[in-house]
Amino acid sequence: KGILGERKKTLQRTFDKVQGLHAKTASAQAQINELVTLRDVMMGNTEGKMSLERYVLRASFEVVLNVANQKLAGLTNDRYQFVLSDTVSGKGMSKSGLEIDVYDDNAGEQRSVHTLSGGETFIASLALALALCQVVQERSGGVQIDSLFIDEGFGSLDSHALASALQTLQSIAGNRMVGIISHVLELTEQIPDQLIVQSDNGRAHVAYQHDIDPV
């Protein structure tokens, strides 16, 4: 009896220890599961494939797109509007959340920006650049962006789109210098102050031209 009683007590103590270890293991596993879930959310390893970083960027990007849509509407006669795409991309990587589609009012449907023509792509890019410039100024505690340069792209525009783009740039000029880098000859009739770069036997020459009354 005495021996059996001691064995029983020993087995009970062992059983209690095993139960205690099991409880601690279950608690540790629960904490690990929570950390894994948090990691997956931050990295975008979820159904939406959007990381925490992109979620925050998307919120700021929406502000830029709201401003860009105001400019894009004027440049396209209210035809196009930017829309954040909900399409999941990236083949398992967190690349979703910042893709842009456009709503085409003529077609009455949303489509990829990659379906825009060359001229339409330039107009869309211009609207985004102007919006980003405006939002940065508004959020930078009084920092003023005094210069804006547009490099090429005007050659892809028809006469109406070119006139709209120039009108938009002139409207934002004010005390800001807006520079256009282009080979489009029609622009020389619209812009009074010009730096003309010409090549002569492999050597570049720069001349300044000011036309008080451009045609």
Side-chain angles (χ1 to χ4, degrees):
K1 252 184 175 181
I3 296 175
L4 291 175
E6 287 300 322
R7 287 183 177 179
K8 180 180 179 182
K9 290 179 181 179
T10 301
L11 290 173
Q12 185 63 50
R13 286 195 295 267
T14 302
F15 178 76
D16 292 340
K17 287 181 180 180
V18 170
Q19 278 195 319
L21 291 173
H22 183 270
K24 290 181 180 180
T25 302
S27 177
Q29 186 62 52
Q31 293 179 356
I32 291 173
N33 291 341
E34 290 179 356
L35 291 174
V36 169
T37 300
L38 179 60
R39 180 207 62 187
D40 288 342
V41 169
M42 294 183 66
M43 297 297 294
N45 298 327
T46 57
E47 183 178 353
K49 299 297 180 184
M50 188 187 303
S51 66
L52 178 61
E53 177 186 7
R54 281 181 170 257
Y55 178 83
V56 174
L57 288 174
R58 183 182 173 101
S60 297
F61 197 26
E62 286 178 339
V63 176
V64 175
L65 289 188
N66 288 336
V67 176
N69 277 334
Q70 298 172 19
K71 302 183 183 303
L72 186 61
L75 289 168
T76 63
N77 292 322
D78 294 318
R79 176 177 178 179
Y80 291 119
Q81 289 282 285
F82 291 116
V83 180
L84 277 172
S85 174
D86 293 324
T87 302
V88 175
S89 62
K91 294 183 179 180
M93 299 180 66
S94 309
K95 294 185 177 181
S96 298
L98 300 180
E99 293 77 18
I100 306 175
D101 287 340
V102 290
Y103 177 78
D104 185 347
D105 190 62
N106 286 3
E109 62 182 19
Q110 184 173 321
R111 58 191 178 94
S112 170
V113 292
H114 300 297
T115 63
L116 296 175
S117 67
E120 291 169 336
T121 299
F122 174 76
I123 290 294
S125 299
L126 177 60
L128 282 171
L130 296 178
L132 183 60
C133 180
Q134 179 178 326
V135 172
V136 167
Q137 286 190 131
E138 292 173 350
R139 293 192 168 192
S140 297
V143 173
Q144 181 70 28
I145 299 178
D146 297 318
S147 303
L148 177 65
F149 290 90
I150 310 297
D151 188 4
E152 287 297 352
F154 291 93
S156 61
L157 305 180
D158 57 31
S159 58
H160 177 73
L162 179 61
S164 295
L166 285 175
Q167 183 179 4
T168 299
L169 292 174
Q170 290 168 352
S171 69
I172 68 165
N175 297 324
R176 178 188 304 156
M177 181 182 69
V178 178
I180 296 173
I181 304 171
S182 180
H183 295 86
V184 178
L185 296 179
E186 289 84 347
L187 291 175
T188 62
E189 302 175 352
Q190 303 287 336
I191 302 174
D193 294 289
Q194 302 175 25
L195 283 176
I196 302 174
V197 181
Q198 295 178 326
S199 178
D200 182 16
N201 294 324
R203 301 182 64 181
H205 299 272
V206 180
Y208 173 72
Q209 175 178 304
H210 174 69
D211 186 354
I212 299 178
D213 297 310
V215 178

